[in-house]
Structure formats: C-alpha cells, structure tokens
Amino acid sequence: MPYKYEQPHLPGWKDMMIGGAIPGLRPNQRNPYFTGGTAKHYRPVINFDKCIKCSLCWEYCPDSVFDVTPDGYFNPALAYCKGCGICAEVCPVPDTIIMVDEMEFEDGYGKFIDEYRYWKENREAYRKWFESLLPKAQIISVRKR
Amino acid sequence: MGMAVSAIEAKRLEAVLKGDEEVEVVGTGTDAVAYALMLADIDVTAAYPIRPYGGVMERTARLIADGYLKAEYIVAAHEHDQFEIVKHASAVGARTFVGSSGVGWLLAIEAIVAISTDRYPVVALIGNRALDDPGAYGVEHNDALMVRDVGWLLVWVDTAQEALDTTLIAYRVAEDPRVMLPVGISMDGAFLTHSEHVFRIPPKSKVQKFLPPYDLGNRKLHPSNVISVAPQVNEDWVTELRKQMDEAMKNARRVIEEAYRDYAKIIGRDYGNPFVEPYMVDDADVIMVGMGTVSKPIKEAVRRLRAKGERVGFLRIRWFRPFPTDDIIRYLMGAKAVAVVDRDYSFGSPFDGGALYTEIRSALYEAEHRPLMINFIGGLGGREITYNDAMNMFNITLDAARKGKIEQRVIWYGVRE
C-alpha cells in the first residue's frame, strides 16, 4: 500500500523527562508520546462504501482512534489502535468493519496505512483489497466468522 | 511551647532552631532521625505503627504538636497507603519522610517500587526486623534487602549520631537533580532503634546551608505545570527509563561523596570515607565485614586481638546501594582471609550464603588478589552477636588464614544442632 503513516518518533533516555513524565494531554487528546499501536495483533479495515456514518465505532473505541473526516466518515489512526475489535463488534452494518491479522498485510507488522485516503483516491483498488481481506478476517461486523 | 517536651529539651530545641551552635542530647536512634526531620523541615510524613521503626513516628508527632516542626502528619490506613501518600506528596513538591519495618515494609512493596521508578526523592527509615513468619521483632536485614534491585539507595547506620547525620545527607543526595531516587536508611531494630545514645543536633541555620530546598523543576505536579506522571509506555519506553535510573544510581556515588564533603565542611562532622568505615584494616591479614550495630562487638574484638599482636581489622559497609565496589577491592584485596557477617540470608544463592557475602564475593572477582572468604550467618531474628562471638569468628578466620584454606565456606554461627 502506498500511503504510510510516519512512524512515531521514540525518544532516547536522555531526551525523556526524569521518570518518564510527559506533558499533560487535553481531554480526548491521544497521547503522542506513546501511541501503542505496534502492540496489536488484529487491524480494523473499514469498508467505506457500506459505512452509514452512524458513529458507533468512534464512540466505542477505548483509545479514541477514529478521526472524523470532512465528509463524515470515521478513519482509524492505526498507530494508536490496540486491535481490540470493539469497533467491529458494535458496527451495525454487515461486512463493514473487519479485524484482520497483522501478518496478512504486505506493508508489514507495525506499519500503518491511511485507509480513508487510499479509499478516496482509488475506490476500485480499495474495494478489491478489502474483498481480498474479507475471507481472512477474524471478526466481521454483524456476522461472526 | 506545649507540655509534652521537658523544660530542658525545650531549651535545647530552641537553641538549635534559633542559634548557631549544636547541642548535645540523649535519645534513641529513632529520636535522632526525628530531630533530623525537624532540621530538614519536612513537609509531609505518613505514619503507620510497627515496631521497631515506630519510635520515629512518636517523636515526630511530638515535635509537630509542640510547634518545633510544621508538617502534615498523615496517619495512614496501612503501609501501602503510607508509601502511596508520600509518593504523591513528593510529586507536588513536598519534602517527605516515611518508614516501616519487616513485613510492614514489604506490604508497601508496590508503592515502594513506584517511588523509585517515578523518581521521587522520598527518604524512608527501615527499622530492620525479621520477616514473619514465625513472629519475631528482632533485627534481620532481609527486609531492606528486598528492595536492593529496584532503584532505592540503601544505607546502614551504626549510631544515633550517624542516623541523624545520614538522614540530612540522604535528603541532599536523593533530591540532587543528578540522582532523584529514594533513600532507605536501615537501622538495626532494638540495638539502635531503642537504645539511648548521646548525640549532637546541629543548628538549623547550618543545615539550611547544607540542604537546599526541594526542587522538582519541570516535574512538579501543579495546575500551572500540566504534566502526566507514570503514563503507560510499555516496551517502547521501559528500556530507556530503566537506563535513566541506572545512570542516576551511578551518579549517586559522586553525589554521595560531595554531600559528605560538604557536611564535614558546613556542619563539622567528617565521616572520612562515606561508603565504608575502615577500622584498623590497613595492614590487616584478617578482616571482618558487616553492616550496622554488629560493629561494636567486632571493634572490641579487633582492639583486644591487636593488643595480642594479631593483625586484624574490621570494615563496616555503610552504603549498600550504590555498592562500594572500589572500596571493597581496595580494603580487602590485601588480606589473607575475610569474614563477612550477614544478619540476613539468601536462600539458594550461589554459595548458599548471605546477601552481603555474595555481593562482596562478586566485587572481588576482578581483584588482583582474592582473599579466602568465610561467611558467618549470625544474629538472625535479633539474636545478639556478643564480643565473645566476634572473638570466636576471628579465631576461625585467623585459623583459615594460617592454614591457607577454609574448611567451611558458610557457617551458621551458633545454630543449635
């Protein structure tokens, strides 16, 4: 996949505040100092063609991973996603959010694409890619695999 | 001033708080620590009773009640609570004191580890006590040694005077920006916590020159300095944070030396080598090593054996963390035989010996000359080590030095068969 998030910068021990304290975060602000997304086993992939913009994934995500796009979709910032699968569990539309094993991705474990941007720029390629992942999914919205 | 303090004591406390001269008093080891807290002007202490550390709670409460110390005295629900309270108080910029003994200290272990990993310069008194079960109030060093690997500086004191001086030095070292780690001051239960000594209290005016105010800098939790302490960082950060602590602990060696030097200069009491107390070791063929109040009978034995022409000495270890490896090598390398007295035991350790013995063996591994080493496990559960015991231990070690070999590596001294 061509669109990659920039890898988070991990500071050295001399750069860190003593004891690992960090500047305070605003309410709902994700922690830029510790993204945590490298720890996940399953990655959510969104079928934006079927999304009804209900906002349940955005509301339920325990790590506030979903960013609202200008046209009202919800794009996961995968660097922060821990792979819990709650978004796929609460999504009310069949085959719209799926959880896929990280090892299935050619972009490699721990590297993250921008799903929404990929979909906007090439819907046909994105649809084919999504369909190739669907049989491998561990959790599929509405129906359990 | 209130009624609780005697007229004589009141006069002396007024003198050290307002004058420029030190005064002499009689008190226990824990009293001496409480007077140091008064001089260090601590802000918060959290108390929960357990013997033998408890005397410091009582004396501190009295000093606050009678107006000699202005500090928040929080009675905790249990030891874990105690250490959590001082951790949080330290985070908002309060100079804190806490303490416990034996299993009480261990009940707080989660908070104890968080204090060092969050890098708060809390000073704690550990009135050394055997770990239950079976129940025992007496001294054993295994309680303090439980935290030897988690970033606490650990020091053992021998007299009430040393307890007072070391408490002031502990704040100075712990709060140094190059260190920012907690200090545990170990004091032998009963033998020092409860025994009366004559000691001198330095004037507060001089202590203020020695001990600058506690300054957390940009880490102070305050509405005007919005930071988050102890965030979840997992494998991405933990290695780096441990490394940061490692550097701080290594820095502590230099900072300890500076603190003792300044203490001698400003307060006027010079301990010489801060890390160890060498006693007639320079030309000694046989050297005993120990921590805490075991020094008294051993020093007496050294004096009497020296009078008979035996070249013996004693090395008392003060600072256990950071470990004084260079001094251990320097003082012990020239000896024919070394005997380490452990008031603790490490079950299943490399040579089935005490913790101090095992560490000293490790320190001597790269020495040019390695002396014979014997380990005496003694004084467990508060059993007394007498002058006669020290003489017996010396005789066993002198015998090994003469023969050039040891018959038994670890000796459970006085164990009933």
Side-chain angles (χ1 to χ4, degrees):
Chain A
M1 303 297 284
Y3 308 112
K4 289 188 169 74
Y5 273 92
E6 212 171 288
Q7 282 293 287
H9 165 71
L10 296 177
W13 65 266
K14 289 176 186 168
D15 305 325
M16 294 172 170
M17 271 171 88
I18 288 176
I22 56 169
L25 305 174
R26 292 186 306 277
N28 296 326
Q29 187 196 355
R30 292 190 294 252
N31 181 358
Y33 303 95
F34 175 63
T35 57
T38 54
K40 68 173 163 295
H41 287 228
Y42 299 104
R43 180 192 298 191
V45 184
I46 319 291
N47 185 351
F48 295 99
D49 290 326
K50 295 182 90 177
C51 174
I52 59 167
K53 305 181 184 178
C54 72
S55 86
L56 283 177
C57 57
W58 172 83
E59 201 163 316
Y60 275 83
C61 176
D63 279 295
S64 306
V65 160
F66 289 92
D67 290 322
V68 186
T69 67
D71 48 356
Y73 290 102
F74 299 93
N75 186 30
L78 295 170
Y80 293 89
C81 171
K82 315 296 188 292
C84 72
I86 284 177
C87 52
E89 291 284 354
V90 299
C91 177
V93 188
D95 304 352
T96 299
I97 301 185
I98 60 175
M99 297 301 292
V100 183
D101 194 316
E102 274 287 340
M103 301 307 283
E104 298 291 344
F105 296 93
E106 285 173 17
D107 57 343
Y109 187 84
K111 293 195 179 73
F112 314 109
I113 61 157
D114 183 333
E115 292 179 2
Y116 173 75
R117 192 171 145 199
Y118 183 34
W119 174 71
K120 278 300 257 193
E121 290 183 6
N122 193 340
R123 293 191 180 205
E124 189 53 30
Y126 189 89
R127 189 181 60 74
K128 280 191 180 140
W129 178 64
F130 184 89
E131 276 170 9
S132 74
L133 294 171
L134 189 56
K136 300 169 184 165
Q138 299 296 310
I139 305 172
I140 300 171
S141 55
V142 179
R143 65 188 169 92
K144 304 287 177 285
R145 192 179 157 79
Chain B
M1 290 300 158
M3 297 292 289
V5 170
S6 72
I8 296 168
E9 192 191 353
K11 210 171 137 197
R12 286 175 182 168
L13 293 182
E14 292 292 337
V16 290
L17 291 176
K18 295 188 178 130
D20 290 321
E21 298 297 321
E22 57 179 22
V23 298
E24 200 167 73
V25 295
V26 177
T28 63
T30 53
D31 287 342
V33 172
Y35 289 131
L37 304 180
M38 176 186 75
L39 300 174
D41 209 0
I42 60 156
D43 301 303
V44 173
T45 183
Y48 188 79
I50 188 169
R51 73 174 88 170
Y53 117 97
V56 72
M57 283 173 51
E58 290 154 23
R59 175 65 64 170
T60 307
R62 244 177 73 180
L63 291 171
I64 293 172
D66 294 339
Y68 295 106
L69 167 63
K70 284 191 177 57
E72 200 71 42
Y73 187 99
I74 300 171
V75 180
H78 42 72
E79 288 87 352
H80 186 279
D81 197 26
Q82 248 187 309
F83 284 76
E84 281 292 335
I85 288 167
V86 293
K87 182 184 83 180
H88 288 86
S90 192
V92 297
R95 181 172 283 158
T96 58
F97 174 79
V98 71
S100 195
S101 288
V103 287
W105 166 251
L106 293 195
L107 180 66
I109 197 76
E110 186 206 8
I112 286 171
V113 174
I115 287 169
S116 59
T117 53
D118 290 346
R119 307 286 302 280
Y120 291 123
V122 169
V123 172
L125 174 68
I126 307 144
N128 295 134
R129 169 179 168 166
L131 297 172
D132 300 346
D133 286 342
Y137 298 129
V139 55
E140 218 174 276
H141 293 163
N142 272 107
D143 55 357
L145 290 171
M146 283 282 174
V147 307
R148 69 176 185 173
D149 299 331
V150 296
W152 276 68
L153 279 68
L154 294 174
V155 58
W156 262 262
V157 295
D158 182 21
T159 62
Q161 185 68 64
E162 196 183 7
L164 186 148
D165 297 332
T166 305
T167 306
L168 296 173
I169 288 166
Y171 281 109
R172 161 87 179 245
V173 172
E175 294 171 8
D176 189 291
R178 293 164 291 178
V179 178
M180 280 290 171
L181 287 170
V183 179
I185 301 168
S186 272
M187 181 185 285
D188 284 355
F191 294 119
L192 181 49
T193 56
H194 288 65
S195 68
E196 298 254 333
H197 293 224
V198 176
F199 59 91
R200 301 177 80 83
I201 310 177
K204 194 173 175 183
S205 58
K206 285 187 182 171
V207 171
Q208 282 169 331
K209 288 190 190 114
F210 168 73
L211 182 61
Y214 173 36
D215 182 9
L216 260 179
N218 66 350
R219 289 204 300 138
K220 184 174 169 176
L221 270 182
H222 188 272
S224 67
N225 181 45
V226 184
I227 57 164
S228 183
V229 173
Q232 185 76 13
V233 296
N234 296 4
E235 71 277 17
D236 286 351
W237 278 35
V238 170
T239 306
E240 284 69 26
L241 291 172
R242 299 285 186 258
K243 180 63 191 157
Q244 216 183 46
M245 278 175 75
D246 176 51
E247 291 296 316
M249 183 59 90
K250 289 194 283 198
N251 289 342
R253 288 196 175 92
R254 192 167 68 242
V255 175
I256 288 168
E257 273 177 33
E258 288 172 12
Y260 277 80
R261 203 170 55 223
D262 283 356
Y263 198 83
K265 214 184 296 169
I266 298 167
I267 311 287
R269 231 179 327 279
D270 192 346
Y271 282 88
N273 187 321
F275 299 100
V276 295
E277 183 198 2
Y279 187 77
M280 300 192 187
V281 293
D282 286 340
D283 63 342
D285 291 330
V286 165
I287 300 174
M288 295 244 296
V289 185
M291 299 198 292
T293 57
V294 76
S295 73
K296 294 289 180 302
I298 297 179
K299 281 179 180 173
E300 183 58 23
V302 168
R303 272 198 292 270
R304 300 215 194 168
L305 286 166
R306 282 269 173 185
K308 287 192 215 162
E310 297 283 8
R311 296 204 301 192
V312 296
F314 173 58
L315 189 68
R316 181 167 66 87
I317 309 296
R318 275 198 198 95
W319 288 86
F320 186 84
R321 284 290 182 271
F323 199 70
T325 310
D326 292 344
D327 292 310
I328 302 262
I329 292 173
R330 179 148 57 100
Y331 288 115
L332 300 185
M333 197 174 70
K336 288 182 182 149
V338 167
V340 180
V341 183
D342 264 289
R343 232 175 184 137
D344 63 82
Y345 189 66
S346 179
F347 293 98
S349 55
F351 297 94
D352 297 302
L356 184 61
Y357 163 75
T358 305
E359 301 254 322
I360 289 175
R361 259 188 99 96
S362 166
L364 288 172
Y365 183 78
E366 291 188 1
E368 278 170 50
H369 168 76
R370 290 196 292 266
L372 297 171
M373 276 190 80
I374 296 178
N375 186 199
F376 291 104
I377 306 301
L380 300 187
R383 186 174 293 181
E384 195 174 358
I385 295 174
T386 64
Y387 154 73
N388 284 329
D389 297 330
M391 286 297 272
N392 284 338
M393 291 176 189
F394 263 125
N395 286 333
I396 292 167
T397 315
L398 281 162
D399 193 45
R402 275 190 289 268
K403 288 179 182 155
K405 69 180 178 72
I406 53 169
E407 273 157 27
Q408 198 180 339
R409 208 183 257 147
V410 179
I411 298 170
W412 280 65
Y413 185 82
V415 68
R416 292 189 298 272
E417 296 292 340

Coordinates of all heavy atoms in Angstrom, one line a residue, chain A residues 8-25 31-39 82, chain B residues 117-119 177 179-180 218-219 225-241 243-244 247:
Chain A
P8 N 6.1 6.6 14.6 CA 6.3 7.5 15.7 C 7.7 7.7 16.1 O 8.5 6.7 16.1 CB 5.4 6.8 16.8 CG 5.3 5.4 16.4 CD 5.4 5.4 14.9
H9 N 8.1 8.9 16.5 CA 9.5 9.1 17.0 C 9.6 8.6 18.4 O 8.9 9.0 19.3 CB 9.9 10.5 16.9 CG 11.1 10.9 17.7 ND1 12.4 10.5 17.2 CD2 11.3 11.5 18.8 CE1 13.3 10.8 18.1 NE2 12.7 11.5 19.1
L10 N 10.5 7.7 18.7 CA 10.7 7.2 20.0 C 11.9 7.8 20.6 O 13.0 7.7 20.1 CB 10.8 5.7 20.0 CG 9.6 4.9 19.6 CD1 9.9 3.4 19.6 CD2 8.4 5.2 20.5
P11 N 11.8 8.6 21.7 CA 12.9 9.3 22.3 C 13.9 8.4 23.0 O 13.6 7.3 23.4 CB 12.2 10.2 23.3 CG 11.0 9.5 23.7 CD 10.5 8.7 22.5
G12 N 15.1 8.9 23.0 CA 16.2 8.2 23.8 C 16.1 8.5 25.3 O 15.4 9.5 25.6
W13 N 16.9 7.8 26.1 CA 16.7 8.0 27.6 C 17.1 9.4 28.0 O 16.7 9.9 29.0 CB 17.4 6.9 28.4 CG 18.9 6.8 28.3 CD1 19.6 6.1 27.4 CD2 19.8 7.5 29.1 NE1 20.9 6.2 27.6 CE2 21.1 7.1 28.6 CE3 19.8 8.5 30.1 CZ2 22.3 7.6 29.2 CZ3 20.9 8.9 30.7 CH2 22.2 8.5 30.2
K14 N 18.0 10.0 27.2 CA 18.5 11.4 27.6 C 17.4 12.4 27.2 O 17.4 13.5 27.7 CB 19.8 11.7 26.9 CG 21.0 10.9 27.5 CD 22.3 11.2 26.7 CE 23.3 10.3 27.2 NZ 24.5 10.3 26.4
D15 N 16.6 12.1 26.2 CA 15.5 13.1 25.8 C 14.3 13.0 26.7 O 13.5 14.0 26.7 CB 15.1 12.7 24.4 CG 16.2 12.6 23.4 OD1 17.1 13.4 23.6 OD2 16.1 11.8 22.5
M16 N 14.1 11.9 27.5 CA 12.9 11.8 28.2 C 13.0 12.6 29.5 O 14.1 12.8 30.1 CB 12.7 10.3 28.7 CG 12.4 9.4 27.5 SD 12.5 7.7 28.0 CE 11.8 6.9 26.6
M17 N 11.8 13.1 30.0 CA 11.8 13.7 31.3 C 12.1 12.6 32.3 O 11.9 11.5 32.1 CB 10.4 14.3 31.6 CG 10.2 15.7 31.1 SD 8.4 16.2 31.3 CE 8.4 16.8 33.0
I18 N 12.7 13.1 33.5 CA 13.0 12.1 34.5 C 11.8 11.3 34.9 O 10.7 11.9 35.1 CB 13.7 12.8 35.7 CG1 15.1 13.3 35.3 CG2 13.8 11.9 36.9 CD1 15.7 14.2 36.4
G19 N 12.0 10.0 35.0 CA 10.9 9.1 35.4 C 9.8 8.9 34.4 O 8.8 8.3 34.6
G20 N 10.0 9.4 33.1 CA 9.1 9.2 32.1 C 7.8 10.0 32.2 O 6.8 9.7 31.5
A21 N 7.8 11.2 32.9 CA 6.7 12.1 32.9 C 6.6 12.7 31.5 O 7.5 12.8 30.8 CB 6.9 13.2 34.0
I22 N 5.4 13.1 31.2 CA 5.1 13.7 29.8 C 4.3 14.9 30.0 O 3.5 15.0 31.0 CB 4.4 12.7 28.9 CG1 3.1 12.2 29.5 CG2 5.3 11.5 28.5 CD1 2.2 11.4 28.6
P23 N 4.3 15.9 29.1 CA 3.4 17.0 29.1 C 2.0 16.5 29.2 O 1.6 15.5 28.6 CB 3.7 17.8 27.8 CG 5.1 17.4 27.5 CD 5.3 15.9 27.9
G24 N 1.1 17.2 29.9 CA -0.2 16.8 30.1 C -1.0 16.8 28.8 O -0.7 17.5 27.9
L25 N -2.0 15.9 28.7 CA -2.9 15.8 27.5 C -4.2 16.6 27.7 O -4.7 16.6 28.8 CB -3.1 14.4 27.1 CG -1.9 13.5 27.0 CD1 -2.3 12.1 26.8 CD2 -1.0 14.0 25.8
N31 N -2.3 10.3 23.1 CA -1.0 10.5 23.7 C 0.1 10.4 22.6 O 0.4 9.3 22.2 CB -0.8 9.5 24.8 CG 0.6 9.7 25.5 OD1 1.4 10.6 25.1 ND2 0.9 8.9 26.5
P32 N 0.6 11.5 22.2 CA 1.6 11.4 21.1 C 2.9 10.8 21.5 O 3.7 10.4 20.7 CB 1.8 12.9 20.6 CG 1.5 13.7 21.8 CD 0.5 12.9 22.6
Y33 N 3.1 10.7 22.8 CA 4.4 10.2 23.3 C 4.4 8.6 23.4 O 5.4 8.0 23.4 CB 4.7 10.7 24.7 CG 4.8 12.2 24.6 CD1 3.6 13.0 25.0 CD2 5.9 12.9 24.2 CE1 3.6 14.3 24.9 CE2 5.9 14.3 24.1 CZ 4.8 15.0 24.4 OH 4.8 16.3 24.3
F34 N 3.2 8.1 23.5 CA 3.1 6.6 23.5 C 1.9 6.2 22.7 O 0.8 6.3 23.2 CB 3.0 6.1 24.9 CG 2.8 4.6 24.9 CD1 3.8 3.7 24.4 CD2 1.6 4.0 25.4 CE1 3.6 2.4 24.3 CE2 1.4 2.7 25.4 CZ 2.4 1.8 24.8
T35 N 2.1 5.9 21.4 CA 1.0 5.5 20.6 C 0.5 4.1 20.8 O -0.7 3.9 20.9 CB 1.4 5.7 19.1 OG1 2.5 4.8 18.9 CG2 1.8 7.1 18.8
G36 N 1.4 3.2 21.0 CA 1.0 1.8 21.4 C 0.5 0.9 20.3 O 0.2 -0.2 20.6
G37 N 0.4 1.5 19.1 CA -0.2 0.7 18.0 C 0.6 -0.5 17.6 O 0.1 -1.4 16.9
T38 N 1.9 -0.5 17.9 CA 2.7 -1.6 17.5 C 2.4 -2.9 18.2 O 2.8 -4.0 17.8 CB 4.2 -1.3 17.7 OG1 4.4 -1.0 19.1 CG2 4.7 -0.2 16.9
A39 N 1.6 -2.8 19.3 CA 1.3 -4.0 20.1 C 0.1 -4.8 19.6 O -0.2 -5.8 20.1 CB 1.0 -3.5 21.5
K82 N -5.1 -0.6 19.3 CA -4.5 -1.7 20.0 C -5.1 -3.0 19.5 O -4.8 -4.1 20.1 CB -4.7 -1.6 21.5 CG -4.5 -0.2 22.1 CD -3.0 0.2 22.0 CE -2.7 1.5 22.8 NZ -3.3 2.7 22.3
Chain B
T117 N 10.8 4.2 40.6 CA 10.7 4.2 39.2 C 10.1 5.6 38.7 O 10.4 6.0 37.6 CB 9.9 3.1 38.6 OG1 8.6 3.0 39.3 CG2 10.6 1.8 38.8
D118 N 9.2 6.2 39.5 CA 8.8 7.5 39.2 C 9.8 8.6 39.6 O 9.5 9.8 39.4 CB 7.4 7.8 39.9 CG 6.3 7.0 39.4 OD1 6.5 6.5 38.3 OD2 5.2 6.9 40.0
R119 N 10.8 8.2 40.3 CA 12.0 9.0 40.6 C 11.6 10.1 41.6 O 12.0 11.3 41.4 CB 12.6 9.6 39.3 CG 12.9 8.6 38.3 CD 14.2 7.8 38.6 NE 15.3 8.7 38.8 CZ 16.0 9.2 37.7 NH1 15.7 8.9 36.5 NH2 17.0 10.0 38.0
P177 N 19.5 16.8 41.5 CA 18.9 16.5 40.1 C 19.6 15.4 39.4 O 19.0 14.8 38.5 CB 19.1 17.9 39.4 CG 19.4 18.9 40.4 CD 19.9 18.2 41.6
V179 N 20.4 12.7 40.7 CA 20.1 11.4 41.3 C 18.5 11.2 41.3 O 18.0 10.3 40.6 CB 20.6 11.3 42.8 CG1 20.1 10.0 43.4 CG2 22.1 11.4 42.8
M180 N 17.8 12.0 42.1 CA 16.3 11.9 42.1 C 15.9 10.4 42.3 O 15.1 9.9 41.6 CB 15.7 12.5 40.9 CG 15.6 14.0 40.9 SD 14.4 14.6 42.1 CE 14.7 16.3 42.1
N218 N 10.7 21.0 36.4 CA 9.6 20.9 35.5 C 8.8 19.7 35.7 O 7.8 19.4 35.0 CB 10.1 20.9 34.0 CG 10.9 19.7 33.7 OD1 11.3 19.0 34.5 ND2 11.2 19.6 32.4
R219 N 9.1 18.9 36.8 CA 8.3 17.7 37.1 C 7.3 17.9 38.2 O 6.7 17.0 38.6 CB 9.3 16.6 37.5 CG 10.1 16.0 36.3 CD 10.5 14.6 36.7 NE 11.3 14.5 37.9 CZ 11.2 13.6 38.8 NH1 10.3 12.7 38.7 NH2 11.9 13.6 39.9
N225 N 1.5 23.7 35.8 CA 2.5 22.9 35.0 C 1.9 21.5 34.8 O 2.0 20.6 35.5 CB 3.8 22.7 35.9 CG 4.9 21.9 35.2 OD1 5.1 22.1 34.0 ND2 5.5 20.9 35.9
V226 N 1.1 21.5 33.7 CA 0.3 20.3 33.4 C 1.2 19.2 32.8 O 1.6 19.3 31.7 CB -0.8 20.7 32.4 CG1 -1.7 19.5 32.2 CG2 -1.6 21.8 33.0
I227 N 1.4 18.2 33.6 CA 2.2 17.0 33.1 C 1.4 15.8 33.6 O 0.6 15.8 34.4 CB 3.6 17.0 33.7 CG1 3.6 17.0 35.2 CG2 4.5 18.1 33.1 CD1 4.9 16.6 35.8
S228 N 1.8 14.7 32.9 CA 1.3 13.4 33.3 C 2.4 12.5 33.8 O 3.4 12.4 33.1 CB 0.6 12.8 32.0 OG 0.0 11.6 32.4
V229 N 2.2 12.0 35.0 CA 3.3 11.1 35.6 C 2.9 9.7 35.4 O 1.7 9.3 35.5 CB 3.4 11.5 37.1 CG1 4.4 10.6 37.8 CG2 3.9 13.0 37.2
A230 N 3.9 8.9 35.2 CA 3.8 7.4 35.1 C 2.7 7.0 34.0 O 1.8 6.3 34.3 CB 3.4 6.8 36.4
P231 N 2.9 7.5 32.8 CA 2.0 7.1 31.7 C 2.3 5.6 31.3 O 3.3 5.1 31.7 CB 2.3 8.0 30.5 CG 3.8 8.3 30.7 CD 4.0 8.3 32.2
Q232 N 1.3 5.0 30.6 CA 1.5 3.6 30.1 C 2.5 3.8 28.9 O 2.2 4.5 28.0 CB 0.2 3.1 29.6 CG 0.3 1.6 29.2 CD 0.4 0.7 30.3 OE1 0.1 1.0 31.5 NE2 0.7 -0.6 30.1
V233 N 3.6 3.1 29.0 CA 4.6 3.2 27.9 C 5.1 1.9 27.3 O 5.7 1.9 26.3 CB 5.8 4.1 28.3 CG1 5.5 5.5 28.6 CG2 6.6 3.4 29.5
N234 N 4.8 0.9 28.0 CA 5.1 -0.5 27.6 C 6.6 -0.6 27.0 O 7.5 0.1 27.4 CB 4.1 -1.0 26.5 CG 2.7 -1.1 27.1 OD1 2.6 -0.8 28.3 ND2 1.8 -1.6 26.4
E235 N 6.7 -1.5 26.0 CA 8.1 -1.9 25.6 C 8.7 -0.7 24.8 O 9.9 -0.7 24.6 CB 8.0 -3.1 24.7 CG 7.4 -3.0 23.3 CD 5.9 -3.1 23.4 OE1 5.3 -2.9 24.4 OE2 5.3 -3.3 22.3
D236 N 7.9 0.3 24.4 CA 8.5 1.4 23.7 C 9.5 2.2 24.5 O 10.4 2.9 24.0 CB 7.4 2.3 23.1 CG 6.7 1.6 21.9 OD1 7.2 0.5 21.4 OD2 5.7 2.1 21.4
W237 N 9.2 2.3 25.8 CA 9.9 3.3 26.7 C 10.6 2.6 27.9 O 11.5 3.3 28.4 CB 8.9 4.3 27.2 CG 8.6 5.5 26.3 CD1 8.5 5.4 25.0 CD2 8.4 6.8 26.7 NE1 8.2 6.7 24.5 CE2 8.1 7.6 25.5 CE3 8.4 7.5 27.9 CZ2 7.8 8.9 25.5 CZ3 8.1 8.9 27.9 CH2 7.8 9.6 26.7
V238 N 10.2 1.5 28.3 CA 10.7 1.0 29.6 C 12.2 0.8 29.6 O 12.9 1.1 30.6 CB 9.9 -0.3 30.0 CG1 10.6 -1.0 31.2 CG2 8.5 0.0 30.3
T239 N 12.8 0.2 28.5 CA 14.2 0.0 28.5 C 14.9 1.4 28.7 O 15.9 1.4 29.5 CB 14.6 -0.5 27.1 OG1 13.9 -1.7 26.9 CG2 16.1 -0.9 27.1
E240 N 14.5 2.4 28.1 CA 15.1 3.7 28.2 C 15.0 4.3 29.6 O 15.9 4.9 30.2 CB 14.5 4.7 27.2 CG 15.0 4.5 25.8 CD 14.5 3.3 25.1 OE1 13.4 2.8 25.5 OE2 15.1 2.7 24.2
L241 N 13.8 4.0 30.2 CA 13.6 4.6 31.6 C 14.4 3.8 32.6 O 14.9 4.4 33.6 CB 12.1 4.6 31.9 CG 11.3 5.6 31.1 CD1 9.8 5.4 31.4 CD2 11.7 7.0 31.5
K243 N 17.3 2.6 31.9 CA 18.7 3.1 31.7 C 18.9 4.4 32.4 O 19.9 4.7 33.0 CB 18.9 3.2 30.2 CG 20.2 3.7 29.8 CD 21.3 2.7 30.2 CE 22.7 3.4 30.1 NZ 23.7 2.8 31.0
Q244 N 17.8 5.2 32.3 CA 17.9 6.5 33.0 C 18.1 6.4 34.5 O 18.9 7.1 35.1 CB 16.5 7.2 32.8 CG 16.5 8.7 32.6 CD 15.1 9.2 32.5 OE1 14.2 8.9 33.3 NE2 14.9 10.1 31.6
E247 N 21.7 5.3 35.3 CA 22.6 6.4 35.3 C 22.5 7.2 36.6 O 23.5 7.6 37.1 CB 22.4 7.4 34.1 CG 22.7 6.7 32.7 CD 24.2 6.4 32.6 OE1 25.0 7.3 32.9 OE2 24.6 5.3 32.1

